[in-house]
mmCIF file of all heavy atoms in Angstrom:
data_model
loop_
_atom_site.group_PDB
_atom_site.id
_atom_site.type_symbol
_atom_site.label_atom_id
_atom_site.label_comp_id
_atom_site.label_asym_id
_atom_site.label_seq_id
_atom_site.Cartn_x
_atom_site.Cartn_y
_atom_site.Cartn_z
ATOM 1 N N SER A 367 -1.159 -26.867 0.715
ATOM 2 C CA SER A 367 -2.136 -27.884 1.110
ATOM 3 C C SER A 367 -3.562 -27.510 0.747
ATOM 4 O O SER A 367 -4.445 -28.380 0.689
ATOM 5 C CB SER A 367 -2.050 -28.123 2.624
ATOM 6 O OG SER A 367 -2.630 -27.028 3.337
ATOM 7 N N GLY A 368 -3.806 -26.225 0.509
ATOM 8 C CA GLY A 368 -5.155 -25.763 0.187
ATOM 9 C C GLY A 368 -5.953 -25.332 1.391
ATOM 10 O O GLY A 368 -7.100 -24.894 1.259
ATOM 11 N N GLU A 369 -5.354 -25.444 2.579
ATOM 12 C CA GLU A 369 -6.030 -24.981 3.798
ATOM 13 C C GLU A 369 -5.003 -24.259 4.669
ATOM 14 O O GLU A 369 -4.174 -24.886 5.323
ATOM 15 C CB GLU A 369 -6.644 -26.144 4.568
ATOM 16 C CG GLU A 369 -7.479 -25.688 5.754
ATOM 17 C CD GLU A 369 -8.260 -26.818 6.392
ATOM 18 O OE1 GLU A 369 -7.682 -27.534 7.245
ATOM 19 O OE2 GLU A 369 -9.436 -27.002 6.041
ATOM 20 N N PHE A 370 -5.070 -22.953 4.646
ATOM 21 C CA PHE A 370 -4.094 -22.133 5.358
ATOM 22 C C PHE A 370 -4.639 -21.819 6.750
ATOM 23 O O PHE A 370 -5.595 -21.058 6.905
ATOM 24 C CB PHE A 370 -3.839 -20.836 4.581
ATOM 25 C CG PHE A 370 -2.737 -19.984 5.152
ATOM 26 C CD1 PHE A 370 -1.406 -20.252 4.858
ATOM 27 C CD2 PHE A 370 -3.032 -18.925 5.996
ATOM 28 C CE1 PHE A 370 -0.392 -19.471 5.384
ATOM 29 C CE2 PHE A 370 -2.026 -18.137 6.527
ATOM 30 C CZ PHE A 370 -0.704 -18.412 6.221
ATOM 31 N N VAL A 371 -4.030 -22.425 7.761
ATOM 32 C CA VAL A 371 -4.468 -22.272 9.148
ATOM 33 C C VAL A 371 -3.569 -21.254 9.836
ATOM 34 O O VAL A 371 -2.341 -21.404 9.844
ATOM 35 C CB VAL A 371 -4.401 -23.627 9.890
ATOM 36 C CG1 VAL A 371 -4.854 -23.469 11.331
ATOM 37 C CG2 VAL A 371 -5.240 -24.666 9.165
ATOM 38 N N PHE A 372 -4.182 -20.212 10.431
ATOM 39 C CA PHE A 372 -3.367 -19.168 11.043
ATOM 40 C C PHE A 372 -4.200 -18.367 12.046
ATOM 41 O O PHE A 372 -5.402 -18.187 11.854
ATOM 42 C CB PHE A 372 -2.801 -18.230 9.967
ATOM 43 C CG PHE A 372 -1.516 -17.559 10.367
ATOM 44 C CD1 PHE A 372 -0.370 -18.301 10.596
ATOM 45 C CD2 PHE A 372 -1.455 -16.190 10.524
ATOM 46 C CE1 PHE A 372 0.814 -17.691 10.973
ATOM 47 C CE2 PHE A 372 -0.285 -15.562 10.892
ATOM 48 C CZ PHE A 372 0.861 -16.323 11.120
ATOM 49 N N PRO A 373 -3.553 -17.848 13.114
ATOM 50 C CA PRO A 373 -4.301 -17.160 14.177
ATOM 51 C C PRO A 373 -4.434 -15.652 13.943
ATOM 52 O O PRO A 373 -4.165 -14.854 14.842
ATOM 53 C CB PRO A 373 -3.450 -17.451 15.420
ATOM 54 C CG PRO A 373 -2.052 -17.470 14.913
ATOM 55 C CD PRO A 373 -2.149 -18.090 13.522
ATOM 56 N N ALA A 374 -4.856 -15.267 12.729
ATOM 57 C CA ALA A 374 -4.906 -13.839 12.393
ATOM 58 C C ALA A 374 -6.319 -13.273 12.350
ATOM 59 O O ALA A 374 -6.484 -12.072 12.125
ATOM 60 C CB ALA A 374 -4.227 -13.608 11.047
ATOM 61 N N GLY A 375 -7.332 -14.111 12.561
ATOM 62 C CA GLY A 375 -8.699 -13.617 12.495
ATOM 63 C C GLY A 375 -8.947 -12.903 11.181
ATOM 64 O O GLY A 375 -8.568 -13.371 10.113
ATOM 65 N N GLU A 376 -9.567 -11.719 11.263
ATOM 66 C CA GLU A 376 -9.824 -10.905 10.067
ATOM 67 C C GLU A 376 -9.069 -9.579 10.153
ATOM 68 O O GLU A 376 -9.487 -8.568 9.574
ATOM 69 C CB GLU A 376 -11.329 -10.670 9.905
ATOM 70 C CG GLU A 376 -12.161 -11.939 9.836
ATOM 71 C CD GLU A 376 -11.762 -12.865 8.686
ATOM 72 O OE1 GLU A 376 -11.292 -12.365 7.641
ATOM 73 O OE2 GLU A 376 -11.907 -14.098 8.843
ATOM 74 N N VAL A 377 -7.958 -9.600 10.876
ATOM 75 C CA VAL A 377 -7.136 -8.396 11.034
ATOM 76 C C VAL A 377 -6.492 -8.037 9.701
ATOM 77 O O VAL A 377 -6.009 -8.905 8.976
ATOM 78 C CB VAL A 377 -6.044 -8.634 12.099
ATOM 79 C CG1 VAL A 377 -5.023 -7.499 12.112
ATOM 80 C CG2 VAL A 377 -6.680 -8.779 13.471
ATOM 81 N N LYS A 378 -6.475 -6.745 9.392
ATOM 82 C CA LYS A 378 -5.830 -6.273 8.169
ATOM 83 C C LYS A 378 -4.344 -6.017 8.425
ATOM 84 O O LYS A 378 -3.964 -5.511 9.473
ATOM 85 C CB LYS A 378 -6.509 -5.013 7.648
ATOM 86 C CG LYS A 378 -7.878 -5.283 7.013
ATOM 87 C CD LYS A 378 -8.417 -4.061 6.326
ATOM 88 C CE LYS A 378 -9.704 -4.373 5.573
ATOM 89 N NZ LYS A 378 -9.472 -5.222 4.377
ATOM 90 N N VAL A 379 -3.528 -6.382 7.434
ATOM 91 C CA VAL A 379 -2.074 -6.323 7.557
ATOM 92 C C VAL A 379 -1.502 -5.622 6.320
ATOM 93 O O VAL A 379 -1.909 -5.925 5.199
ATOM 94 C CB VAL A 379 -1.484 -7.748 7.668
ATOM 95 C CG1 VAL A 379 0.037 -7.721 7.630
ATOM 96 C CG2 VAL A 379 -1.983 -8.432 8.935
ATOM 97 N N PRO A 380 -0.524 -4.709 6.486
ATOM 98 C CA PRO A 380 0.115 -4.069 5.329
ATOM 99 C C PRO A 380 1.308 -4.878 4.836
ATOM 100 O O PRO A 380 2.465 -4.486 4.974
ATOM 101 C CB PRO A 380 0.547 -2.705 5.881
ATOM 102 C CG PRO A 380 0.847 -2.988 7.319
ATOM 103 C CD PRO A 380 -0.090 -4.088 7.749
ATOM 104 N N PHE A 381 1.038 -6.059 4.267
ATOM 105 C CA PHE A 381 2.101 -6.942 3.775
ATOM 106 C C PHE A 381 3.077 -6.176 2.884
ATOM 107 O O PHE A 381 2.677 -5.304 2.125
ATOM 108 C CB PHE A 381 1.498 -8.090 2.963
ATOM 109 C CG PHE A 381 0.637 -9.032 3.742
ATOM 110 C CD1 PHE A 381 -0.753 -8.919 3.713
ATOM 111 C CD2 PHE A 381 1.194 -10.030 4.502
ATOM 112 C CE1 PHE A 381 -1.561 -9.790 4.426
ATOM 113 C CE2 PHE A 381 0.402 -10.916 5.229
ATOM 114 C CZ PHE A 381 -0.989 -10.787 5.188
ATOM 115 N N ILE A 382 4.372 -6.542 2.976
ATOM 116 C CA ILE A 382 5.395 -5.884 2.168
ATOM 117 C C ILE A 382 6.287 -6.926 1.512
ATOM 118 O O ILE A 382 6.523 -8.014 2.062
ATOM 119 C CB ILE A 382 6.234 -4.907 3.027
ATOM 120 C CG1 ILE A 382 7.188 -4.089 2.142
ATOM 121 C CG2 ILE A 382 6.991 -5.645 4.136
ATOM 122 C CD1 ILE A 382 7.817 -2.917 2.846
ATOM 123 N N ASP A 383 6.779 -6.598 0.332
ATOM 124 C CA ASP A 383 7.674 -7.471 -0.412
ATOM 125 C C ASP A 383 9.086 -7.358 0.166
ATOM 126 O O ASP A 383 9.562 -6.255 0.447
ATOM 127 C CB ASP A 383 7.682 -7.044 -1.888
ATOM 128 C CG ASP A 383 8.247 -8.107 -2.816
ATOM 129 O OD1 ASP A 383 9.412 -8.499 -2.620
ATOM 130 O OD2 ASP A 383 7.528 -8.505 -3.746
ATOM 131 N N THR A 384 9.769 -8.478 0.335
ATOM 132 C CA THR A 384 11.137 -8.434 0.881
ATOM 133 C C THR A 384 12.094 -7.691 -0.056
ATOM 134 O O THR A 384 13.120 -7.178 0.385
ATOM 135 C CB THR A 384 11.693 -9.851 1.126
ATOM 136 O OG1 THR A 384 11.647 -10.612 -0.081
ATOM 137 C CG2 THR A 384 10.906 -10.560 2.214
ATOM 138 N N ARG A 385 11.755 -7.600 -1.337
ATOM 139 C CA ARG A 385 12.596 -6.834 -2.253
ATOM 140 C C ARG A 385 12.526 -5.338 -1.960
ATOM 141 O O ARG A 385 13.521 -4.626 -2.090
ATOM 142 C CB ARG A 385 12.200 -7.138 -3.702
ATOM 143 C CG ARG A 385 12.516 -8.570 -4.126
ATOM 144 C CD ARG A 385 11.888 -8.922 -5.451
ATOM 145 N NE ARG A 385 10.427 -8.964 -5.351
ATOM 146 C CZ ARG A 385 9.628 -9.355 -6.348
ATOM 147 N NH1 ARG A 385 10.154 -9.733 -7.508
ATOM 148 N NH2 ARG A 385 8.319 -9.377 -6.195
ATOM 149 N N ASP A 386 11.359 -4.870 -1.527
ATOM 150 C CA ASP A 386 11.241 -3.472 -1.110
ATOM 151 C C ASP A 386 12.010 -3.233 0.183
ATOM 152 O O ASP A 386 12.694 -2.223 0.342
ATOM 153 C CB ASP A 386 9.773 -3.091 -0.927
ATOM 154 C CG ASP A 386 9.015 -3.025 -2.238
ATOM 155 O OD1 ASP A 386 9.651 -2.747 -3.277
ATOM 156 O OD2 ASP A 386 7.792 -3.255 -2.238
ATOM 157 N N LEU A 387 11.886 -4.175 1.114
ATOM 158 C CA LEU A 387 12.670 -4.089 2.347
ATOM 159 C C LEU A 387 14.152 -3.996 2.018
ATOM 160 O O LEU A 387 14.873 -3.144 2.553
ATOM 161 C CB LEU A 387 12.414 -5.316 3.217
ATOM 162 C CG LEU A 387 13.442 -5.576 4.328
ATOM 163 C CD1 LEU A 387 13.310 -4.559 5.440
ATOM 164 C CD2 LEU A 387 13.343 -6.980 4.861
ATOM 165 N N ALA A 388 14.632 -4.862 1.130
ATOM 166 C CA ALA A 388 16.053 -4.894 0.797
ATOM 167 C C ALA A 388 16.510 -3.574 0.197
ATOM 168 O O ALA A 388 17.585 -3.060 0.536
ATOM 169 C CB ALA A 388 16.335 -6.038 -0.171
ATOM 170 N N ASP A 389 15.707 -2.990 -0.670
ATOM 171 C CA ASP A 389 16.088 -1.716 -1.282
ATOM 172 C C ASP A 389 16.150 -0.598 -0.240
ATOM 173 O O ASP A 389 17.020 0.279 -0.312
ATOM 174 C CB ASP A 389 15.102 -1.353 -2.393
ATOM 175 C CG ASP A 389 15.253 -2.236 -3.628
ATOM 176 O OD1 ASP A 389 16.278 -2.938 -3.730
ATOM 177 O OD2 ASP A 389 14.346 -2.218 -4.476
ATOM 178 N N VAL A 390 15.234 -0.635 0.732
ATOM 179 C CA VAL A 390 15.266 0.359 1.813
ATOM 180 C C VAL A 390 16.514 0.160 2.670
ATOM 181 O O VAL A 390 17.185 1.131 3.055
ATOM 182 C CB VAL A 390 13.986 0.275 2.671
ATOM 183 C CG1 VAL A 390 14.129 1.117 3.942
ATOM 184 C CG2 VAL A 390 12.777 0.757 1.871
ATOM 185 N N VAL A 391 16.844 -1.086 2.983
ATOM 186 C CA VAL A 391 18.039 -1.369 3.776
ATOM 187 C C VAL A 391 19.283 -0.834 3.080
ATOM 188 O O VAL A 391 20.139 -0.179 3.703
ATOM 189 C CB VAL A 391 18.175 -2.888 4.026
ATOM 190 C CG1 VAL A 391 19.573 -3.231 4.553
ATOM 191 C CG2 VAL A 391 17.120 -3.362 5.014
ATOM 192 N N VAL A 392 19.403 -1.085 1.786
ATOM 193 C CA VAL A 392 20.581 -0.618 1.045
ATOM 194 C C VAL A 392 20.635 0.903 1.005
ATOM 195 O O VAL A 392 21.716 1.499 1.128
ATOM 196 C CB VAL A 392 20.605 -1.229 -0.369
ATOM 197 C CG1 VAL A 392 21.688 -0.589 -1.219
ATOM 198 C CG2 VAL A 392 20.831 -2.731 -0.280
#
């Protein structure tokens, strides 16, 4: 939509790729 509304303020997050998660799980 071009307007991402979310209650995260300016908190920093260590986003991770689900492909990395999957490789760790395996």
Side-chain angles (χ1 to χ4, degrees):
S367 74
E369 186 171 84
F370 186 82
V371 180
F372 207 64
E376 304 301 330
V377 170
K378 287 189 174 290
V379 173
F381 295 99
I382 187 167
D383 197 301
T384 56
R385 293 169 293 186
D386 290 332
L387 163 72
D389 288 346
V390 169
V391 166
V392 171

